[in-house]
Amino acid sequence: MVDAKGNAADTPLRTLVTVAEADFDIGELQVWLLTGSGKEGAVATFTGYVRVDGDGMQCMELEHYPGMTQSAIEAIVAQAAQRWPLLAARVVHRVGRLHPGEQIVWVGVSSAHRAAAFSACEFIMDYLKAEAPLWKKEINDAGEHWVEAKDTDSERARRWRGNDGE
Amino acid sequence: MLRIVFFARVKEQLGCSQLELEWDASLATIDAVQEHLCGMENGQWREVLSEANIIRAVNQTVVTGDAAVCDNDEVAFFPPVTGG
């Protein structure tokens, strides 16, 4: 990706988005963000876990829209790469049945400097939560229910508009 | 032929994950497709499909407003997203 801000200009952007049932190894993912160019000065990552809520939740089911979930996240990554001079970006989102304590999502970006890495990682996660077609259903002793979308999630994505994040 | 797909709560409430509709000029916009679906199952689908916060997509891209729908398109209806 040629970037007007400079230091990623002669290194092709490395990106990969995975939507799958399989668990992931954070160490392997982080190494993948190092492109071999030696230009990475910063890697920022986010890991989301299945959290126990107050209702005795046993597990959750993550549903996705095959094809669209991946392309929607790829579009979010592309937006981040236009805003910040990234070297690599990777997103993994799990689907299917997940239990408390399990990893559910991972976002990682590398860049020359920390400001871009921090901002791009948060931007990708905020937009993923607000826009990627994924739905959580919680299963507990009493039965099951779909998680309701939170206004705070769409607000977090909205605040990036009209703000270059730097 | 239009391919119609539903996800998550919408899919469960309708008891249907996908169906096919013969396309004709009366189904040239997503509002028209949605209204047609609302009339199915003796109108029992209307309540689910007329929820104000329902999200609509054509060919796996979310649309706002009354987007065009053409033959062979894939049209999706789903609730607000809760991933991450």
Side-chain angles (χ1 to χ4, degrees):
Chain A
M1 173 77 58
V2 175
D3 193 291
K5 291 171 188 171
N7 47 15
D10 52 353
T11 307
L13 176 69
R14 172 190 282 193
T15 67
L16 186 60
V17 172
T18 308
V19 179
E21 291 191 11
D23 198 6
F24 49 83
D25 181 312
I26 291 173
E28 284 177 13
L29 292 172
Q30 173 138 353
V31 168
W32 188 92
L33 293 173
L34 304 175
T35 58
S37 66
K39 294 180 177 175
E40 291 84 7
V43 166
T45 72
F46 172 85
T47 310
Y49 294 86
V50 179
R51 176 168 39 84
V52 182
D53 69 5
D55 301 333
M57 187 185 83
Q58 295 170 347
C59 60
M60 66 171 44
E61 282 277 346
L62 245 293
E63 182 172 337
H64 68 300
Y65 183 164
M68 182 178 171
T69 306
Q70 173 146 352
S71 59
I73 298 171
E74 285 168 352
I76 294 165
V77 169
Q79 283 181 57
Q82 284 180 353
R83 287 181 75 141
W84 295 282
L86 303 182
L87 294 160
R90 179 127 185 212
V91 179
V92 182
H93 205 298
R94 294 178 70 193
V95 294
R97 183 156 291 209
L98 295 166
H99 296 84
E102 285 195 82
Q103 301 172 151
I104 179 169
V105 60
W106 190 87
V107 175
V109 301
S110 61
S111 184
H113 301 287
R114 74 181 185 285
F118 274 135
S119 295
C121 184
E122 188 174 23
F123 173 96
I124 291 169
M125 195 59 216
D126 285 347
Y127 271 91
L128 184 155
K129 283 202 78 103
E131 294 186 354
L134 291 153
W135 303 274
K136 287 188 184 118
K137 180 200 275 180
E138 291 184 356
I139 299 161
N140 59 32
D141 296 336
E144 53 185 48
H145 67 274
W146 291 100
V147 173
E148 292 295 327
K150 292 200 286 276
D151 289 343
T152 49
D153 285 335
S154 43
E155 283 159 18
R156 280 192 71 84
R158 237 186 335 263
R159 80 205 159 99
W160 290 100
R161 291 177 200 149
N163 163 14
D164 69 6
E166 289 175 50
Chain B
M1 195 74 80
L2 290 181
R3 184 174 133 86
I4 314 292
V5 291
F6 306 110
F7 292 96
R9 192 180 62 237
V10 172
K11 175 180 74 178
E12 286 193 353
Q13 288 177 336
L14 297 178
C16 176
S17 61
Q18 59 177 294
L19 61 98
E20 290 188 334
L21 279 185
E22 196 68 51
W23 186 87
D24 63 37
S26 74
L27 298 176
T29 73
I30 196 158
D31 282 354
V33 171
Q34 190 166 357
E35 183 54 32
H36 180 88
L37 294 167
C38 282
M40 291 178 64
E41 303 292 323
N42 297 317
Q44 289 178 53
W45 281 15
R46 180 172 300 279
E47 188 180 351
V48 176
L49 291 173
S50 3
E51 278 196 34
N53 62 6
I54 202 163
I55 297 172
R56 313 186 297 180
V58 176
N59 296 329
Q60 305 200 352
T61 299
V62 170
V63 296
T64 53
D66 195 13
V69 171
C70 306
D71 200 7
N72 300 313
D73 280 353
E74 179 175 290
V75 180
F77 298 88
F78 49 80
V81 303
T82 57

